[in-house]
Amino acid sequence: MESLWLLVSATVFLSIATFLLCTNSTKFFRKNNGNTRPSPSSSEIQLPLGTLGWPFIGETIEFISCAYSGSPEKFMDKRRCLYGNVFKSHLFGSRTIVSTDAEVNKHVLDSKTFIPAYPRSLTELMGESSILVTNGNLHKKLHGLIGAFLKCPQLKAQITRDMQKYVHETVNHWKDDQLIYIQDVSKNIAFKVLVKVLIGLDPGEEVQFLNQQFHEFNAGIISLPIKIPGSRLYRSLQAKKRMMKVIEKIIQEKQKHNSNEIPKDIIDVLLNDSNKQLTPGFISSNMVDFMIPAEDSVPVLITLVVKFLSECPRALEQMLEENMKLQILKDEMGGFLCWSDYMSLPFTQNVITEALRLGNIIGGVMRKATKDVQIKGYLIPEGWCVFAYILSVHLDDKHYDQPHQFNPWRWQDNNIGTCNFTPFGGGQRLCPGLELARLETSIFLHHFITQFSWVAEEDAIIHFPTARLKRRMPVCVKRR
């Protein structure tokens, strides 16, 4: 979710940059060496080295151009050579301390001193009461309720059944030599699972309507913060209102038949809580907001794995063998695959882990310091943003041998629970759905690779604002 900050801010500042370039104002574009702050203090010398770049625009343009290239870490590598793993910059309109240091990133993600920093257009879309921007006790309460629910065995069993069903319904229509776009297919399946988990809706007209409105809403994330009729942001807000009306009707129906049964979806979880802040409007708004980070994570992870397997026949062969053994065993026993079966496949989980490391669904996380903080000898001033850049850590040869090579075997003896591996963020805002993301990915991959062989067309990963495949990963499938 945090990386969406980059998405909105980039659009705003690229537009401003275009205007400023057209003005040809050499006075405005005088270089800023970044050696001073508006209110200098005796601790100024403790600021990390670096430059703030051009006035107002800073170094945003160069960062974005590198992120769109095949080597997104170029921006960071250049500055790490000059200034070290932690340096100052000016990105997306804010003075920023950029960290490519795993220990500093962990401190930033774990500390309550650092809070999410989003631009106005995104807060307009989400609302000030969104769990994605709230802090303190309310955020802790919501995160705890949702996290506990997402870990319960009943939900995992439900998601396993639903995911298997939706995958089967999808692939049963595929024909030999048909061109399939993995990113699109997985998005469609994952959205159905997501809506069922959030609000308890099965696929049908309402889910289709929500899907259409969500894409209209989501388009406003890439927009200028102008909220007037006809503007992109205004249309997105209207789409959110339409979605909220559907969800509020569902909430009203649930309230009429209120019971103490085991919660079947997140709305049930929140309605069963006694907190008076959890009003129908609050709940319906947050259900829409939850779709923003969740709608992309699973489909992109699935797509990344298919891409990397397509480029590594040895890994595909070993993963196919592992999954076929499981399928044959279940067929002989006459049982159905359950969530523990999928999660018990060690090499498959290593493949997913490596795809998370190399693919980097979330390139970095933005936070803002609420007071002066010193970490490992660096000063992070109050009000400055901190960009904990995860991608650089995951691609650092000090942490991983041949880091740009897809090598799932590296995880056979490695512990993934270290500060060098943080694909889902960390701290109190660690993604509560990380286990479910692995589960859904495992289910899709099992059925895809055991039922089909494929030839992948060439495609490339774009790392801005979040990872995705430029051509949506086209593959020509053939049933085994």
Side-chain angles (χ1 to χ4, degrees):
M1 180 61 224
E2 285 88 347
S3 59
L4 291 176
W5 193 101
L6 306 177
L7 182 60
V8 184
S9 300
T11 304
V12 174
F13 283 90
L14 281 172
S15 300
I16 294 172
T18 302
F19 168 77
L20 292 173
L21 285 169
C22 290
T23 63
N24 195 29
S25 173
T26 56
K27 178 180 179 181
F28 184 88
F29 279 92
R30 189 172 59 249
K31 199 76 171 177
N32 184 335
N33 61 19
N35 290 330
T36 60
R37 291 167 56 195
S39 301
S41 67
S42 59
S43 62
E44 179 71 25
I45 58 171
Q46 295 176 311
L47 273 171
L49 299 174
T51 175
L52 300 184
W54 295 103
F56 195 70
I57 296 174
E59 299 184 300
T60 305
I61 306 299
E62 185 178 352
F63 172 78
I64 294 173
S65 64
C66 288
Y68 271 116
S69 72
S71 302
E73 67 276 19
K74 278 185 179 180
F75 177 90
M76 301 298 172
D77 288 347
K78 175 182 176 181
R79 285 152 183 79
R80 288 165 71 180
C81 290
L82 292 172
Y83 311 122
N85 287 340
V86 180
F87 55 90
K88 66 185 173 189
S89 184
H90 191 286
L91 297 172
F92 310 107
S94 298
R95 293 169 297 175
T96 303
I97 302 298
V98 180
S99 169
T100 63
D101 183 286
E103 293 180 21
V104 174
N105 289 354
K106 177 175 172 54
H107 186 101
V108 170
L109 295 175
D110 289 348
S111 175
K112 296 179 181 179
T113 304
F114 298 94
I115 62 174
Y118 298 115
R120 193 178 57 141
S121 56
L122 192 50
T123 56
E124 286 276 4
L125 281 174
M126 295 188 297
E128 295 180 358
S129 60
S130 172
I131 185 178
L132 302 173
V133 296
T134 54
N135 297 290
N137 292 332
L138 180 58
H139 175 269
K140 184 178 180 180
K141 176 77 170 179
L142 289 171
H143 197 278
L145 288 171
I146 294 167
F149 174 66
L150 295 181
K151 292 177 182 177
C152 73
Q154 295 90 341
L155 179 67
K156 291 179 180 179
Q158 173 195 306
I159 288 178
T160 301
R161 291 191 299 270
D162 291 340
M163 188 74 182
Q164 289 177 148
K165 177 184 176 183
Y166 303 149
V167 171
H168 286 152
E169 290 175 348
T170 300
V171 303
N172 284 345
H173 296 290
W174 293 356
K175 299 177 181 178
D176 283 354
D177 300 321
Q178 182 177 346
L179 189 65
I180 301 297
Y181 292 88
I182 297 296
Q183 195 163 278
D184 294 345
V185 167
S186 55
K187 271 194 174 187
N188 185 50
I189 295 172
F191 189 82
K192 294 176 184 177
V193 175
L194 174 64
V195 171
K196 182 75 173 289
V197 172
L198 290 177
I199 61 180
L201 271 184
D202 287 311
E205 291 184 4
E206 283 185 306
V207 172
Q208 187 176 357
F209 175 79
L210 288 173
N211 200 349
Q212 293 170 348
Q213 296 304 313
F214 176 75
H215 284 96
E216 177 76 8
F217 162 74
N218 204 34
I221 294 173
I222 315 175
S223 65
L224 294 172
I226 301 173
K227 190 173 63 174
I228 59 175
S231 69
R232 176 67 270 173
L233 179 58
Y234 179 85
R235 297 199 304 273
S236 292
L237 288 169
Q238 295 304 305
K240 181 174 183 178
K241 288 180 181 179
R242 290 189 287 271
M243 295 177 71
M244 287 177 61
K245 284 183 179 180
V246 174
I247 298 171
E248 285 171 0
K249 286 181 180 179
I250 293 172
I251 293 173
Q252 290 171 6
E253 287 297 317
K254 286 177 176 289
Q255 288 176 322
K256 289 179 183 178
H257 305 92
N258 190 26
S259 66
N260 294 321
E261 294 180 359
I262 296 174
K264 296 179 180 179
D265 51 58
I266 290 180
I267 286 183
D268 287 342
V269 173
L270 300 183
L271 286 177
N272 290 346
D273 193 80
S274 59
N275 192 311
K276 294 182 179 179
Q277 291 179 277
L278 304 183
T279 63
F282 175 92
I283 294 173
S284 62
S285 178
N286 270 281
M287 292 306 99
V288 178
D289 297 342
F290 285 141
M291 294 179 187
I292 301 174
E295 199 262 350
D296 262 343
S297 57
V298 171
V300 171
L301 178 54
I302 289 172
T303 309
L304 287 170
V305 174
V306 172
K307 173 179 170 56
F308 293 140
L309 288 176
S310 302
E311 299 168 347
C312 186
R314 179 184 164 211
L316 176 58
E317 182 180 357
Q318 184 170 337
M319 188 171 166
L320 174 60
E321 180 182 354
E322 180 179 70
N323 279 266
M324 288 300 292
K325 283 182 179 179
L326 174 64
Q327 187 63 58
I328 293 171
L329 177 63
K330 281 294 178 177
D331 288 343
E332 292 175 350
M333 296 174 62
F336 295 99
L337 290 168
C338 62
W339 65 269
S340 59
D341 292 322
Y342 291 108
M343 300 301 284
S344 68
L345 298 168
F347 187 72
T348 298
Q349 293 309 311
N350 289 343
V351 166
I352 294 172
T353 300
E354 180 69 350
L356 286 167
R357 181 198 69 82
L358 185 57
N360 291 286
I361 296 174
I362 299 175
V365 174
M366 296 294 287
R367 292 284 190 266
K368 183 171 72 173
T370 57
K371 63 180 181 180
D372 284 2
V373 181
Q374 291 194 37
I375 308 174
K376 290 185 70 173
Y378 300 110
L379 170 68
I380 301 177
E382 176 184 353
W384 280 51
C385 283
V386 182
F387 190 11
Y389 201 60
I390 297 169
L391 187 149
S392 285
V393 176
H394 288 172
L395 299 180
D396 193 332
D397 57 13
K398 294 179 181 177
H399 304 311
Y400 300 99
D401 183 45
Q402 295 182 302
H404 290 86
Q405 178 180 329
F406 178 73
N407 178 16
W409 297 274
R410 75 170 79 242
W411 298 102
Q412 289 179 166
D413 302 314
N414 283 3
N415 176 17
I416 65 173
T418 70
C419 62
N420 297 333
F421 183 69
T422 53
F424 293 99
Q428 292 185 332
R429 294 184 179 272
L430 176 68
C431 175
L434 58 93
E435 288 185 23
L436 296 184
R438 282 183 173 272
L439 173 60
E440 291 181 54
T441 303
S442 301
I443 294 171
F444 181 93
L445 293 173
H446 171 81
H447 294 281
F448 180 59
I449 69 173
T450 57
Q451 294 185 51
F452 297 92
S453 60
W454 71 90
V455 176
E457 294 187 3
E458 187 175 346
D459 206 346
I461 303 172
I462 297 175
H463 287 274
F464 187 85
T466 55
R468 66 188 189 281
L469 276 294
K470 188 175 182 179
R471 298 184 57 217
R472 313 191 315 279
M473 197 60 227
V475 300
C476 188
V477 297
K478 189 172 184 177
R479 199 170 295 274
R480 292 187 185 278

